[in-house]
Amino acid sequence: MDPVPTEAPAVPTGTSRPRARGAHRVERLCHATGVLLVLSGLAHLVVFAVDGGPWDGPVSWRKPVTFGVSFGVTLIAVTWVTSYLRVGPRLRTLLLMVFAADCVVEVGGITLQAWRGVPSHLDMETPFDTAVSMTLAVGGGVLVVLLTVFAVASFRHRPSGPAGMDLAVRSGFAVLLVALASGAAMIARGVVLTRTGHQEAAYHSTAPLKPLHGVSLHAVLVLPALAWLLSRTPWSEPLRRRILYAAIGSYVTAVIGAGVWAAFAY
């Protein structure tokens, strides 16, 4: 007698996968914190419009603007994207809480120094400035560790979600690792120059890597968001995958271009 056929288990999605109540709370907290960071950045854009001053350089209103918006968007994106990862709810909750706190510390320190009219990074002029600078450097290291853990999780187990989301999440985290590496390189080179008495050179040493860092930082939002939008269209899955492949290829090309420019300008 033939066995009764059974249906294959459905692949859980990021929205259908059951999560602990604490996970929902930390998600709401991270989303709210991300929104506040973005609003802080936009508020300082108004401050810049009123107060004026240079946009570039180690002391400018650009830093609280760009860091506030960037950290806020990244926090919201990582909170959303990690819902598709096969990570234990308690571990994910803990990692997201630390990540959110670190984002607040980073933006807070940068904003504080902007209001004080001194550089936020690589500034060792006074004990207080050194403490802020080192706090930001350590915070950057914490970000690298946390996001690397999420990236590794995305490759250890196939992310859930609609068709193409697994590819988008893995590609987003892979490109994000480039952002983390370039950010670490900026901090490391700047600290070395500062410690060897080349303070002004330290401030300007990060410029070549900034485009690479900025472009690669937000792939973890752009690519999964595109996959989510494509899943809402009536197009066939092969067509949606071709569009996603083209988008990933274009993003990688942009990152390579920024990397080549950094190599020549470094």
Short mmCIF file of all heavy atoms in Angstrom, two decimals, residues 10 35 104 237:
data_model
loop_
_atom_site.label_atom_id
_atom_site.label_comp_id
_atom_site.label_asym_id
_atom_site.label_seq_id
_atom_site.Cartn_x
_atom_site.Cartn_y
_atom_site.Cartn_z
N ALA A 10 5.95 24.39 5.09
CA ALA A 10 6.07 25.73 4.53
C ALA A 10 7.28 26.43 5.12
O ALA A 10 7.61 26.25 6.28
CB ALA A 10 4.80 26.54 4.84
N VAL A 35 13.81 56.30 14.83
CA VAL A 35 13.09 57.51 14.40
C VAL A 35 13.61 58.74 15.13
O VAL A 35 13.80 59.81 14.52
CB VAL A 35 11.57 57.34 14.64
CG1 VAL A 35 10.84 58.67 14.43
CG2 VAL A 35 11.01 56.28 13.70
N VAL A 104 22.81 55.08 20.06
CA VAL A 104 22.53 56.29 20.82
C VAL A 104 23.83 56.91 21.35
O VAL A 104 24.01 58.13 21.29
CB VAL A 104 21.56 55.98 21.98
CG1 VAL A 104 21.42 57.19 22.91
CG2 VAL A 104 20.20 55.58 21.44
N GLU A 237 8.17 34.94 -10.61
CA GLU A 237 9.35 34.85 -9.76
C GLU A 237 10.66 34.94 -10.55
O GLU A 237 11.60 35.62 -10.10
CB GLU A 237 9.32 33.56 -8.95
CG GLU A 237 10.49 33.42 -8.00
CD GLU A 237 10.39 32.19 -7.11
OE1 GLU A 237 9.27 31.69 -6.93
OE2 GLU A 237 11.44 31.75 -6.60
#
